C-alpha cells in the first residue's frame, strides 16, 4: 500500500511540472494569438477610420474646389458679359435711369458681385458659409444690382427706365446676370434666340444677358443676330398683360428736372475727374479740395438757377424748388452723391426721386396689376417682396402702405384705367383696408382684388386658394407663377358686412355709434381675448414678431394662458344673441361666439363644415348668399381641438341680421382686429358685395376654369364697347353666383 502510494507520488511529482509547463506554454500561445487577433482587429478599425477620414477630407476638398471654380467661372462670365454690354450699349438707344441705392447686406440668393468693380461682395473668409456676409453694401431697389459703398458713386446710368411715354416701342434692357449660378441654378433655361442652354458650367457657351423687362435670356453672341432681325423690340414677356408698360407712363417732373440734372451731372463728373487727378499725383489736399469743390459747384449751380429764373424757364416764386435743387447739390462731394441717389435701408423711391406720374395710351388688351404691400404684416416680408416685384413688374405700379400713405395714391393713378386688377400683399386687415379705399373711390366697374398672404392667419387668402403664407407662394413656383395665376384667375363675389357698434351711456348722455366693416368673421369671448393679448404684445414689441411660425407659437401661448384663466366663463349670462329678430339661446359652458362669412377661421379651420352631415336644418355656407352663420365654442381648449380636427363647433343660427347685446366689457375681434367692447350692442347688417379673384385650381374642376374664361370674355366685351361697365358688373355677379 505504501509502495503504491510512493509510486503515485513519484508519478505526480513528474507529471505536475510537465502539465504546468504545457499549460503555461499553451496559455502563452493562446495569449499571443488573442493579442495578435486583437491587434489586427484594432489595426483594421484604425485603417478603416483613416480611410474614412481621408475620403471625407478628399470629398470636402473636391467640393470646395468645385465651389471656388464655379464661382470664378460665374464671375468670369459676368465680366465678359459686362465688357460686351459696354461695347453694344453705344449702338443701342435704350432709355436709361440712375440706380436707386438702398443700404443692405450681402445675403444668399442675391447678387454677390459688385456691378462697378466686378469683384465679389463676399469676403473669402466667409465663402461657403450659410450666412455669406453681413458687410453693408448698396443695392438698387429697382433692378437689384449691388455695389460696394465706395463703388456705387461710379456706377453707370444703366437702370431700367420706368417712364417711356413718347417712344414707339419698348426695347430690351439687357443686363448681366448678377446672381451667381450656384445661388440660382437655372439648368433648364435656354437662350430665346438659339434655344441653346444658358448657364451650364460644363458647356463652353457664350456669356448671358437677361432682359430686365421680359426676363428672357440671350447669349451675347446671339444678340447681334437677333437685333438685326427684330430690332431689339421687347414684348414684356409672358407677364405682359399684368406689367404696366413703360410706354404708358409719363413722368410729370421730367421736364422740370432735365436741365438741372444735366448741369449737376456735368459738375459731378468734373469733380470726379479732379479727384482722380489728385489721387494720381499724390495730393494730400484731397479732403479740403473736396469741400472747396463742393462749395464752388453749389455757387455755380445757384448762379445757373438764377439765370433760368431770369429767362422765365423757372418761375420766380419757385424759391422752394430752388431750395430743393440746392439740397440736391449738397449731394455733390458726398460719396456717390449724384450717380444714383441713396436712401436708407428699405426706403422706397422710384428712379431716385419722389416723382409724379400719369398713365396714358393704354392698349385695349392691357390688364395692369396695381400692387399694394404692407411691409409690417405678419413676418414683415414686405420689404423683400417689394424689391423682387420691382424687378419683375414696373415699380410705378407698386405702392407700399404705411401710416403716411394709404391705397388712395395708387387708386388715383389708375383712376382712368378701364380694366385693371389689384394685388394686396398683406394680411386680412390689409385687404379690408384696400377694399374700403376701393369702395370710397366709387369706380364704375370696381377692380377685382387678389391676395398674396403676408399675415398670420390669412383666412381669406386660404379660402380663395392663394395660400396660407409667403412660403407657400415660393413652394408653388415663385412670384412669376403667382402673377400668371392672377392673370388667369376667376372673379367671384364676396359679401361685406357693416358692424354698428353702440356703447350705452349712463344717465341722459346719448349713445355713441361707431361703424366698422367685416368680410371674414366676428368673434366675442375667448377667441377675441387671445387675439387682443397677442395684438397688445405685438404693439409693445414688434421686433419679436418676425416669423409666421413664431407668431403662431405666441398665439398658442396666449391660448394656453386663457385655458387657466377662463375669463369669459360668464358669457352666457352677460351676452344675448338675436338673429333676424329672434332670440337665440346660448348654451351653458359657452365661452365664445363667432359670426362667420367665409369657411376659414383661425388659419384654415372650417367651423360650419358644409361637407359633413348635421342634424339641423341650416343651409350650406356661401360667401355671396347675403347670409351669416353663428357658432359657439366652449373655451380655448375647444379652439385648440378645432385646430387639429378633433372637435366641431356647435352651430347656433343663420340669418341676414345679427345683433349681439353685451352687459359688461368683453373682448371683440373683427377680421383679426381686436378691441374691448363696452356695454352696448353690435349690429351686423349686409353692406354690399365686392369682386375678388379666386385662383382656378384642380379642386374647382371645370367650373373654376369656366369662370376664369367668362371673366376674360366680359372684359374684352367691355373694352370693345359691346357692353358697358354696369352690364359687365351685373353679368359678373351672375356668373360668380352660378359657377361658384
Amino acid at each position: 500500500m505504501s509502495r503504491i502510494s510512493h509510486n503515485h507520488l513519484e508519478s505526480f511529482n513528474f507529471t505536475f511540472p510537465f502539465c504546468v509547463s504545457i499549460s503555461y506554454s499553451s496559455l502563452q500561445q493562446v495569449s499571443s494569438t488573442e493579442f495578435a487577433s486583437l491587434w489586427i482587429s484594432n489595426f483594421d478599425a484604425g485603417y478603416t477610420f483613416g480611410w474614412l477620414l481621408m475620403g471625407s477630407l478628399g470629398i470636402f476638398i473636391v467640393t470646395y474646389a468645385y465651389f471656388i471654380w464655379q464661382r470664378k467661372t460665374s464671375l468670369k462670365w459676368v465680366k465678359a458679359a459686362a465688357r460686351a454690354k459696354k461695347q453694344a450699349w453705344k449702338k443701342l438707344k435704350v432709355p436709361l435711369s440712375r440706380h436707386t441705392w438702398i443700404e443692405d447686406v450681402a445675403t444668399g440668393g442675391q447678387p454677390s458681385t459688385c456691378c462697378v468693380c466686378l469683384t465679389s461682395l463676399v469676403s473669402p473668409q466667409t465663402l461657403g458659409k450659410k450666412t455669406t456676409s453681413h458687410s453693408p453694401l448698396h443695392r438698387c431697389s429697382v433692378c437689384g444690382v449691388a455695389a460696394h459703398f465706395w463703388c456705387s458713386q461710379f456706377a453707370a446710368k444703366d437702370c431700367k427706365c420706368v417712364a417711356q411715354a413718347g417712344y414707339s416701342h419698348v426695347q430690351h434692357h439687357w443686363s448681366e446676370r448678377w446672381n451667381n449660378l450656384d445661388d440660382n441654378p437655372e439648368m433648364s433655361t435656354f437662350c430665346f434666340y438659339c434655344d441653346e442652354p444658358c448657364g451650364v458650367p460644363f458647356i463652353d457657351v457664350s456669356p448671358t444677358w437677361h432682359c430686365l423687362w421680359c426676363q428672357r435670356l440671350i447669349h451675347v453672341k446671339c444678340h447681334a443676330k437677333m437685333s438685326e432681325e427684330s430690332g431689339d423690340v421687347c414684348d414684356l414677356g409672358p407677364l405682359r398683360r399684368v406689367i404696366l408698360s413703360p410706354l404708358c407712363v409719363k413722368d410729370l417732373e421730367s421736364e422740370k428736372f432735365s436741365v438741372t440734372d444735366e448741369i449737376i451731372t456735368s459738375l459731378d463728373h468734373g469733380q470726379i475727374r479732379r479727384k482722380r487727378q489728385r489721387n494720381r499725383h499724390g495730393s494730400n489736399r484731397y479732403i479740403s479740395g473736396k469741400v472747396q469743390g463742393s462749395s464752388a459747384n453749389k455757387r455755380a449751380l445757384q448762379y445757373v438757377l438764377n439765370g433760368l429764373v431770369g429767362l422765365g424757364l423757372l418761375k420766380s416764386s419757385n424759391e422752394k424748388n430752388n431750395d430743393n435743387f440746392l439740397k440736391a447739390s449738397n449731394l455733390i462731394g458726398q460719396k456717390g452723391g449724384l450717380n444714383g441717389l441713396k436712401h436708407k435701408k428699405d426706403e422706397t423711391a422710384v428712379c431716385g426721386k419722389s416723382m409724379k406720374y400719369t398713365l396714358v395710351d393704354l392698349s385695349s388688351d392691357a390688364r395692369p396689376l396695381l400692387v399694394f404691400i404692407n411691409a409690417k404684416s405678419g413676418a414683415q416680408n414686405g420689404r423683400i417682396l417689394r424689391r423682387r416685384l420691382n424687378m419683375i413688374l414696373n415699380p410705378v405700379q407698386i405702392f407700399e402702405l404705411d401710416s403716411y400713405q394709404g391705397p388712395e395714391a395708387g387708386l388715383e393713378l389708375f383712376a382712368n384705367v378701364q380694366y385693371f386688377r389689384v394685388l394686396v400683399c398683406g394680411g386680412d386687415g390689409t385687404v379690408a383696408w384696400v377694399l374700403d379705399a376701393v369702395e370710397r373711390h366709387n369706380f364704375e366697374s370696381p377692380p377685382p382684388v387678389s391676395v398674396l398672404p403676408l399675415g398670420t392667419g390669412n383666412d381669406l387668402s386660404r379660402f380663395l386658394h392663394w395660400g396660407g403664407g409667403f412660403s407657400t407662394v415660393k413652394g408653388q413656383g415663385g412670384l412669376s407663377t403667382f402673377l400668371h395665376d392672377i392673370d388667369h384667375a376667376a372673379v367671384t363675389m364676396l359679401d361685406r358686412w357693416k358692424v354698428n357698434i353702440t356703447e350705452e351711456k349712463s344717465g341722459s348722455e346719448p349713445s355713441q355709434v361707431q361703424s366698422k366693416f367685416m368680410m371674414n368673421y366676428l368673434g366675442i369671448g375667448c377667441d377675441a381675448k387671445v387675439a387682443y393679448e397677442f395684438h397688445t404684445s405685438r404693439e409693445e414689441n414688434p421686433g419679436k414678431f418676425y416669423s409666421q411660425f413664431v407668431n403662431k407659437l405666441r398665439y398658442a401661448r396666449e391660448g394656453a394662458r386663457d385655458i387657466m384663466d377662463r375669463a369669459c366663463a360668464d358669457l352666457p349670462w352677460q351676452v344675448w344673441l338675436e338673429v333676424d329678430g329672434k332670440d337665440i339661446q346660448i348654451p351653458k359652458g359657452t365661452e365664445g361666439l363667432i359670426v362667420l362669412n367665409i369657411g376659414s377661421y383661425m388659419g384654415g379651420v372650417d367651423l360650419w363644415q358644409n361637407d359633413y352631415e348635421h342634424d339641423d336644418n341650416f343651409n350650406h355656407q356661401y360667401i355671396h348668399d347675403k347670409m351669416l352663420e353663428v357658432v359657439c365654442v366652449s373655451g380655448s381648449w375647444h379652439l385648440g381641438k378645432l385646430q387639429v380636427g378633433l372637435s366641431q363647433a356647435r352651430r347656433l343660427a343663420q340669418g341676414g341680421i345679427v345683433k349681439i347685446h353685451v352687459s359688461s366689457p368683453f373682448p371683440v375681434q373683427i377680421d383679426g382686429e381686436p378691441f374691448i367692447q363696452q356695454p352696448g350692442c353690435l349690429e351686423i347688417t349686409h353692406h354690399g358685395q365686392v369682386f375678388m379673384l379666386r385662383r382656378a385650381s384642380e379642386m374647382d374642376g371645370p367650373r373654376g376654369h369656366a369662370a376664369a374664361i367668362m371673366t376674360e370674355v366680359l372684359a374684352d366685351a367691355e373694352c370693345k364697347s359691346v357692353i358697358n361697365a354696369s352690364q359687365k358688373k351685373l353679368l359678373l355677379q351672375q356668373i360668380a353666383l352660378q359657377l361658384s
Side-chain angles (χ1 to χ4, degrees):
M1 187 73 177
S2 61
R3 186 175 180 177
I4 294 174
S5 300
H6 180 71
N7 291 336
H8 284 182
L9 183 61
E10 289 180 351
S11 176
F12 176 78
N13 291 334
F14 173 77
T15 58
F16 179 75
F18 178 75
C19 292
V20 170
S21 64
I22 292 177
S23 299
Y24 177 76
S25 62
S26 300
L27 182 62
Q28 191 174 13
Q29 279 188 336
V30 170
S31 300
S32 301
T33 304
E34 290 181 354
F35 178 76
S37 301
L38 183 62
W39 185 83
I40 292 173
S41 62
N42 289 338
F43 177 78
D44 290 341
Y47 185 76
T48 304
F49 177 75
W51 269 108
L52 290 175
L53 183 61
M54 294 297 294
S56 301
L57 183 61
I59 293 174
F60 174 78
I61 293 175
V62 171
T63 304
Y64 185 78
Y66 172 76
F67 181 81
I68 296 297
W69 171 82
Q70 193 176 32
R71 187 174 289 274
K72 289 183 178 179
T73 303
S74 174
L75 185 59
K76 179 181 177 181
W77 285 7
V78 168
K79 289 182 178 180
R83 289 192 296 267
K85 191 182 78 169
K86 288 182 179 179
Q87 297 176 359
W89 212 258
K90 299 177 182 179
K91 302 178 183 179
L92 302 176
K93 297 181 180 180
V94 182
L96 303 174
S97 294
R98 294 188 179 93
H99 293 289
T100 305
W101 299 116
I102 60 174
E103 295 180 10
D104 204 353
V105 293
T107 57
Q110 298 292 338
S112 57
T113 305
C114 177
C115 67
V116 180
C117 64
L118 301 180
T119 59
S120 178
L121 293 167
V122 183
S123 60
Q125 290 80 5
T126 58
L127 203 59
K129 294 183 180 180
K130 186 175 181 180
T131 56
T132 53
S133 174
H134 292 285
S135 58
L137 52 85
H138 279 155
R139 192 182 307 280
C140 180
S141 62
V142 176
C143 64
V145 302
H148 296 108
F149 271 139
W150 54 86
C151 291
S152 59
Q153 60 178 320
F154 303 111
K157 181 183 175 182
D158 58 357
C159 191
K160 67 178 181 181
C161 183
V162 300
Q164 302 180 21
Y167 288 83
S168 59
H169 59 272
V170 180
Q171 289 184 278
H172 286 292
H173 192 113
W174 300 114
S175 177
E176 303 86 345
R177 297 183 65 194
W178 295 110
N179 283 34
N180 281 339
L181 299 177
D182 52 311
D183 291 336
N184 186 21
E186 298 182 6
M187 307 303 287
S188 60
T189 309
F190 297 88
C191 172
F192 87 99
Y193 180 79
C194 67
D195 291 331
E196 294 294 330
C198 292
V200 182
F202 297 104
I203 300 179
D204 187 17
V205 297
S206 170
T208 305
W209 288 340
H210 90 282
C211 179
L212 296 180
W213 287 113
C214 65
Q215 310 301 320
R216 293 190 179 100
L217 301 178
I218 190 172
H219 294 129
V220 173
K221 65 179 182 181
C222 297
H223 174 260
K225 301 177 183 178
M226 186 274 301
S227 182
E228 293 178 359
E229 295 179 5
S230 62
D232 224 25
V233 177
C234 180
D235 63 353
L236 301 181
L239 299 175
R240 64 180 66 90
R241 295 210 315 165
V242 299
I243 297 176
L244 179 62
S245 173
L247 299 179
C248 305
V249 181
K250 183 178 181 181
D251 179 13
L252 299 179
E253 303 287 338
S254 60
E255 297 179 359
K256 184 169 64 176
F257 281 99
S258 59
V259 177
T260 308
D261 284 349
E262 292 180 2
I263 298 171
I264 294 175
T265 302
S266 62
L267 294 174
D268 186 41
H269 286 306
Q271 185 182 6
I272 290 174
R273 285 195 296 270
R274 288 193 297 271
K275 288 180 181 179
R276 290 178 178 174
Q277 291 175 0
R278 288 169 183 160
N279 289 336
R280 190 179 299 115
H281 296 293
S283 174
N284 56 1
R285 295 179 298 172
Y286 175 76
I287 298 178
S288 62
K290 173 179 176 180
V291 175
Q292 293 172 3
S294 177
S295 301
N297 287 339
K298 291 179 186 178
R299 291 194 299 269
L301 181 59
Q302 179 63 51
Y303 179 79
V304 173
L305 290 175
N306 293 335
L308 292 176
V309 172
L311 293 174
L313 297 177
L314 289 176
K315 294 181 180 179
S316 58
S317 60
N318 262 359
E319 295 180 0
K320 184 176 181 180
N321 290 337
N322 292 350
D323 292 338
N324 292 334
F325 289 136
L326 289 177
K327 288 180 181 178
S329 69
N330 288 334
L331 295 174
I332 302 175
Q334 296 178 1
K335 188 178 293 184
L338 287 166
N339 205 359
L341 298 184
K342 293 186 180 67
H343 301 268
K344 295 181 180 179
K345 186 175 181 180
D346 300 332
E347 185 176 345
T348 57
V350 179
C351 293
K353 304 184 188 75
S354 178
M355 293 185 175
K356 294 182 179 180
Y357 299 94
T358 184
L359 304 185
V360 295
D361 301 330
L362 268 77
S363 60
S364 59
D365 62 339
R367 307 287 187 269
L369 189 66
L370 176 58
V371 183
F372 295 108
I373 301 176
N374 188 351
K376 295 183 179 180
S377 292
Q380 303 180 11
N381 291 316
R383 307 290 187 184
I384 300 174
L385 178 64
R386 168 74 185 265
R387 189 168 60 217
R388 292 175 61 183
L389 286 175
N390 278 345
M391 292 185 245
I392 299 175
L393 304 175
N394 192 329
V396 174
Q397 65 189 113
I398 303 172
F399 291 82
E400 189 169 326
L401 303 178
D402 52 32
S403 57
Y404 302 100
Q405 176 177 277
E408 289 77 14
L411 295 174
E412 186 64 29
L413 178 65
F414 277 65
N416 296 324
V417 180
Q418 187 174 12
Y419 187 81
F420 67 97
R421 298 184 174 191
V422 174
L423 171 62
V424 180
C425 305
D428 294 332
T430 308
V431 177
W433 186 9
V434 173
L435 290 177
D436 289 341
V438 170
E439 181 183 2
R440 288 195 303 269
H441 207 279
N442 197 21
F443 286 97
E444 184 179 6
S445 179
V449 179
S450 57
V451 186
L452 193 155
L454 293 182
T456 302
N458 303 310
D459 289 292
L460 183 60
S461 175
R462 294 174 189 270
F463 189 78
L464 297 176
H465 298 169
W466 295 115
F470 190 45
S471 58
T472 60
V473 176
K474 298 178 182 178
Q476 294 176 352
L479 282 176
S480 296
T481 302
F482 188 87
L483 295 174
H484 176 271
D485 291 341
I486 291 177
D487 191 29
H488 296 82
V491 174
T492 187
M493 305 301 299
L494 175 67
D495 288 327
R496 292 192 76 210
W497 301 85
K498 186 176 182 179
V499 184
N500 290 325
I501 305 172
T502 304
E503 293 185 9
E504 297 179 354
K505 297 294 182 179
S506 59
S508 59
E509 295 183 14
S511 300
Q512 295 181 356
V513 180
Q514 181 184 6
S515 297
K516 294 187 177 183
F517 294 96
M518 183 193 84
M519 60 181 181
N520 295 349
Y521 44 74
L522 179 147
I524 180 171
C526 60
D527 69 310
K529 180 180 181 298
V530 174
Y532 183 79
E533 297 294 338
F534 175 83
H535 177 75
T536 303
S537 300
R538 184 167 60 179
E539 290 293 322
E540 293 176 353
N541 301 292
K544 295 182 178 180
F545 297 81
Y546 55 86
S547 166
Q548 185 181 20
F549 177 73
V550 173
N551 292 352
K552 289 185 177 181
L553 289 180
R554 295 182 182 275
Y555 215 96
R557 186 188 64 179
E558 298 296 339
R561 184 180 301 172
D562 184 70
I563 293 176
M564 305 300 295
D565 296 340
R566 296 198 63 193
C568 301
D570 59 342
L571 184 141
W573 293 274
Q574 303 294 333
V575 176
W576 294 268
L577 175 64
E578 179 184 343
V579 179
D580 288 342
K582 298 180 180 179
D583 292 334
I584 306 298
Q585 183 177 2
I586 300 176
K588 293 182 179 180
T590 298
E591 295 187 20
L593 290 177
I594 304 172
V595 183
L596 302 170
N597 184 45
I598 65 173
S600 179
Y601 171 79
M602 202 169 55
V605 179
D606 184 6
L607 297 181
W608 195 252
Q609 296 181 335
N610 286 339
D611 298 333
Y612 289 83
E613 294 183 0
H614 302 274
D615 56 356
D616 50 42
N617 296 322
F618 296 125
N619 297 323
H620 280 200
Q621 181 187 43
Y622 297 100
I623 63 174
H624 45 64
D625 59 355
K626 302 179 182 179
M627 298 287 285
L628 291 171
E629 291 73 33
V630 184
V631 299
C632 68
V633 294
S634 57
S636 297
W637 177 251
H638 191 193
L639 289 174
K641 293 168 66 177
L642 290 170
Q643 186 74 34
V644 296
L646 297 179
S647 183
Q648 295 181 356
R650 183 169 178 177
R651 311 204 303 184
L652 295 182
Q654 190 176 38
I657 301 176
V658 177
K659 292 184 179 181
I660 301 175
H661 304 271
V662 181
S663 61
S664 63
F666 258 87
V668 177
Q669 59 119 346
I670 299 176
D671 293 340
E673 302 297 328
F675 61 94
I676 299 298
Q677 171 62 35
Q678 300 299 324
C681 177
L682 301 170
E683 183 180 11
I684 310 173
T685 57
H686 190 263
H687 178 71
Q689 292 182 323
V690 293
F691 291 109
M692 301 297 296
L693 288 174
R694 181 180 183 131
R695 175 182 264 167
S697 63
E698 296 180 357
M699 297 175 59
D700 295 332
R703 290 192 174 190
H705 295 283
I709 294 173
M710 291 302 298
T711 299
E712 187 60 33
V713 170
L714 293 178
D716 289 336
E718 183 189 10
C719 292
K720 297 177 181 178
S721 301
V722 177
I723 58 176
N724 56 33
S726 59
Q727 292 173 332
K728 187 195 76 170
K729 181 179 179 180
L730 180 61
L731 290 173
L732 279 177
Q733 289 176 340
Q734 294 301 319
I735 292 173
L737 294 175
Q738 296 298 325
L739 297 182
S740 295

